[in-house]
Amino acid sequence: MSMIKVPTQVTLVEVGPRDGLQNEKTPIATSIKIDLCKQLIEAGIHRLEAAAFVSPKWVPQMADGADVLAGLKALPELQQRKVSYSALVPNLKGMEAAIEAGMQEAVVFTAASEAFTQKNINCTIAESIERFKPVAELARAHNIHLRGSISCALGCPYQGDVAVQSAAEVALRLQDIGVQEFDVADTIGVGTALQVGQVFEAVAYRVGLQNVAGHFHDTYGQALANILAALQLGVSTFHSSIAGLGGCPYAKGATGNVATEDVVYMLHGMGIETGLDLNRLVQTGAWISGSIGKPYISRAGRAVWSKLNSEVQA
Ligand code: HMG
Ligand code: MG
């Protein structure tokens, strides 16, 4: 029997429609965003970050979140699918708009670094927690699952190194106000596997392993190794972005999240269930990359894509 223990099932929260698209400078048609979400759901995604109810002055690309959710809810082919739609909400105004739009999971977001929090949401970490209190109250009243995203848990573009305990301390403060799930984020993709073990262990010790999710950007090519490190601790929820799209507007040089296709290929290869159809994800990844004029950069995606195409030609 293998000594290496990993979960038998993993849930992927698809963040492509939000984290993947938010950084695109050219406006993307709402219809393309809806089509992207639809294809992801048809590939088996059941937790989908579809929107951000943030200031349109700060992130113009996310201004049509309510229309994206309305469009998805109107599609007859998705009526039978049980999908939990999530959205970023920086404050009460965003939360009210997201509830109105019919979102099921709210994501408040702060950071393990003061400097990044200031650049991203224009306040200190302590002020952000204060701002989230009424959001958490509304979440409770509406039975909305509340996640808390902790950026820069493994390094900050402004501050540099971030102490191992920083994310855990923020997680505890978020838990105090009612956050239920903790998205530990490597915003600029600088972390490496042993550091992931330490940081995730510290967070899990405070808030419970089952409540921790990993959110890895792949800037330095470390994301799969980092996911494996977290899997070995027992983490079983990860965020990923179709085609590896994305980046954070307030973290210069940060590239996209780990590609969903790459994670699914790795997990399925390890015998871990995801409920996802890799071929359909690859078709979606190739399509959305082309639609927004980007090369298709998912490594597993490109390999599967060329295999699918050679089978069609044979
Ligand atoms: P502010 O300027 O300090 O706030 O921004 P304000 O309260 O003074 O509001 C300024 C204007 O924004 C006002 O409008 C408000 O009404 C409006 P005006 O009177 O000037 O016309 N406003 C809003 N409009 C729509 N929806 C709202 C909203 N709130 C205020 N919710 C604020 C503070 C937090 C609003 C701003 O900094 C903001 O929206 N930041 C969002 C930044 C963002 O979206 N970053 C990217 C997502 S985070 C990320 O990618 C990291 C993650 O992936 C994890 C990781 O990888 O690390 C999650
Ligand atoms: Mg991110």
Side-chain angles (χ1 to χ4, degrees):
M1 213 179 84
S2 170
M3 301 282 285
I4 300 173
K5 290 235 179 325
V6 290
T8 53
Q9 262 187 335
V10 158
T11 298
L12 290 189
V13 178
E14 171 61 46
V15 298
R18 195 280 304 168
D19 207 341
L21 300 184
Q22 71 181 11
N23 211 22
E24 289 301 315
K25 294 289 163 278
T26 315
I28 299 166
T30 307
S31 58
I32 290 187
K33 295 177 183 171
I34 295 170
D35 199 0
L36 172 62
C37 292
K38 171 179 169 294
Q39 290 185 40
L40 289 165
I41 293 164
E42 288 175 343
I45 293 290
H46 64 275
R47 289 185 74 185
L48 182 62
E49 203 160 288
F53 291 89
V54 297
S55 162
K57 285 187 194 139
W58 285 62
V59 187
Q61 190 63 259
M62 292 287 103
D64 59 352
D67 297 333
V68 172
L69 286 174
L72 287 166
K73 284 173 194 261
L75 288 177
E77 59 270 49
L78 299 186
Q79 301 296 325
Q80 300 306 315
R81 304 261 182 177
K82 286 202 173 61
V83 184
S84 183
Y85 294 108
S86 53
L88 295 194
V89 294
N91 51 22
L92 194 55
K93 187 179 171 102
M95 182 65 169
E96 284 165 353
I99 291 174
E100 177 80 26
M103 154 220 69
Q104 282 79 37
E105 289 179 32
V107 188
V108 290
F109 53 107
T110 184
S113 129
E114 284 292 353
F116 185 80
T117 311
Q118 203 69 51
K119 297 271 185 202
N120 196 36
I121 52 174
N122 207 19
C123 62
T124 64
I125 297 171
E127 283 163 354
S128 74
I129 308 270
E130 281 306 307
R131 225 181 242 181
F132 300 155
K133 279 183 183 166
V135 174
E137 271 164 36
L138 259 194
R140 249 190 314 275
H142 288 261
N143 207 15
I144 286 170
H145 184 65
L146 187 60
R147 287 167 31 207
S149 175
I150 306 165
S151 287
C152 299
L154 299 157
C156 170
Y158 308 104
Q159 171 189 317
D161 289 347
V162 171
V164 167
Q165 290 295 332
S166 295
E169 285 158 12
V170 175
L172 206 54
R173 287 157 82 181
L174 289 171
Q175 191 183 46
D176 282 345
I177 63 160
V179 167
Q180 296 161 300
E181 185 172 337
F182 304 84
D183 301 338
V184 180
D186 187 2
T187 313
I188 52 169
V190 286
T192 49
L194 295 184
Q195 186 193 5
V196 167
Q198 292 171 339
V199 170
F200 277 66
E201 197 169 31
V203 177
Y205 178 74
R206 299 291 184 103
V207 299
L209 186 61
Q210 71 286 2
N211 303 319
V212 178
H215 178 110
F216 296 102
H217 285 258
D218 202 21
T219 317
Y220 287 80
Q222 301 301 302
L224 286 182
N226 289 344
I227 289 176
L228 181 57
L231 277 170
Q232 287 177 327
L233 275 182
V235 175
S236 63
T237 304
F238 294 94
H239 299 188
S240 63
S241 175
I242 192 72
L245 294 174
C248 178
Y250 300 102
K252 289 235 171 318
T255 60
N257 293 88
V258 63
T260 305
E261 300 90 312
D262 294 1
V263 182
V264 170
Y265 179 82
M266 178 179 88
L267 295 175
H268 288 184
M270 292 167 69
I272 297 174
E273 282 174 31
T274 64
L276 297 167
D277 179 335
L278 180 58
N279 287 353
R280 288 189 87 144
L281 288 170
V282 169
Q283 282 157 348
T284 304
W287 167 79
I288 187 63
S289 300
S291 301
I292 62 170
K294 290 261 149 100
Y296 185 32
I297 58 161
S298 158
R299 299 283 289 273
R302 283 212 311 261
V304 173
W305 181 244
S306 63
K307 219 168 145 207
L308 287 175
N309 284 330
S310 64
E311 278 162 16
V312 171
Q313 278 158 22

